[in-house]
Amino acid sequence: SQQGEEDPQALSIQEGENATMNCSYKTSINNLQWYRQNSGRGLVHLILIRSNEREKHSGRLRVTLDTSKKSSSLLITASRAADTASYFCATATDSWGKLQFGAGTQVVVTP
Amino acid sequence: SAVISQKPSRDICQRGTSLTIQCQVDSQVTMMFWYRQQPGQSLTLIATANQGSEATYESGFVIDKFPISRPNLTFSTLTVSNMSPEDSSIYLCSVADGTDTQYFGPGTRLTVL
């Protein structure tokens, strides 16, 4: 069964706009990871945030984690057409542990 | 980060046959996993491939249907046995590099006719 729920399921924006997607989960976690998948290909790792962290940045990406609400958000700033992809959150309940994935958010960025 | 390759990248198979998917990593890793992604769906963990011992399967997946080998710390195989159209999916292996981060291979797209 999936640990996470993501919303929205789909998001359509124009280049230059920001995209925000949310992930909620059900049980306590060790860490939460965000991935990008282009057209059903392999997953690209974006960011890992640990349960004792609240915010992380990587380039145009910003991830927040609120363990009290069991939720995380991924913000992509100044989006580009190349950001068009599906984005997944995945939670691990322990170190090196197996991941449980959310349903994913499909993002389309139009020029 | 680990570089992971999978073979084949895609295949079209007839029902009732079996396909073995290979996963090769460019460095020794402790943990290797196999996931399935059915069309339009998210990823579901099939099993953890343990080096030197039997794989650990998740609920709903059994060894007879998805036998897994892990002969060393850089290689694993997943076999999809007695295939049916419902097995049409992308199969991905992943590895954990000791920093909690999991990296994924490019996936094997399987179509069963």
Side-chain angles (χ1 to χ4, degrees):
Chain A
S1 62
Q2 290 176 349
Q3 157 85 303
E5 298 293 330
E6 293 184 59
D7 81 275
Q9 290 186 325
L11 183 59
S12 185
I13 57 175
Q14 291 195 316
E15 269 191 329
E17 294 181 338
N18 295 342
T20 300
M21 58 210 85
N22 303 295
C23 169
S24 61
Y25 55 92
K26 299 173 184 173
T27 64
S28 296
I29 61 171
N30 174 277
N31 66 75
L32 185 147
Q33 304 184 42
W34 284 92
Y35 292 86
R36 183 184 76 227
Q37 185 179 41
N38 294 83
S39 301
R41 297 167 69 181
L43 271 69
V44 174
H45 188 267
L46 298 176
I47 286 186
L48 177 150
I49 187 164
R50 293 189 170 80
S51 59
N52 61 352
E53 298 174 313
R54 292 296 167 259
E55 188 171 311
K56 286 190 83 168
H57 297 255
S58 176
R60 294 183 295 113
L61 307 179
R62 173 179 171 254
V63 168
T64 63
L65 179 65
D66 186 334
T67 54
S68 68
K69 296 181 179 178
K70 291 186 170 59
S71 69
S72 174
S73 68
L74 170 66
L75 167 68
I76 306 173
T77 60
S79 62
R80 306 166 181 170
D83 294 327
T84 294
S86 293
Y87 292 82
F88 294 93
C89 69
T91 55
T93 55
D94 50 42
S95 295
W96 293 21
K98 53 194 179 186
L99 295 176
Q100 284 194 290
F101 279 80
T105 295
Q106 191 167 2
V107 175
V108 175
V109 182
T110 54
Chain B
S1 64
V3 176
I4 307 165
S5 60
Q6 284 186 234
K7 290 181 181 179
S9 59
R10 59 177 60 221
D11 207 341
I12 301 173
C13 301
Q14 298 297 317
R15 67 171 67 211
T17 62
S18 298
L19 176 72
T20 295
I21 302 167
Q22 299 179 4
C23 178
Q24 179 75 53
V25 191
D26 68 341
S27 58
Q28 293 186 343
V29 293
T30 303
M31 307 298 290
M32 292 182 78
F33 305 91
W34 287 97
Y35 291 80
R36 180 178 74 181
Q37 185 178 28
Q38 294 177 299
Q41 303 296 315
S42 186
L43 281 77
T44 301
L45 180 66
I46 297 172
T48 302
N50 301 309
Q51 194 269 327
S53 65
E54 202 167 275
T56 305
Y57 290 84
E58 297 300 305
S59 176
F61 297 96
V62 295
I63 187 171
D64 289 347
K65 176 66 176 177
F66 297 101
I68 288 170
S69 77
R70 179 136 187 235
N72 56 53
L73 293 175
T74 64
F75 185 79
S76 178
T77 66
L78 168 75
T79 298
V80 186
S81 303
N82 188 25
M83 290 183 286
S84 67
E86 292 70 36
D87 294 319
S88 297
S89 297
I90 299 173
Y91 293 86
L92 302 103
C93 69
S94 75
V95 304
D97 67 351
T99 64
D100 296 342
T101 301
Q102 277 195 36
Y103 297 99
F104 282 78
T108 295
R109 184 182 292 269
L110 171 62
T111 301
V112 183
L113 303 177

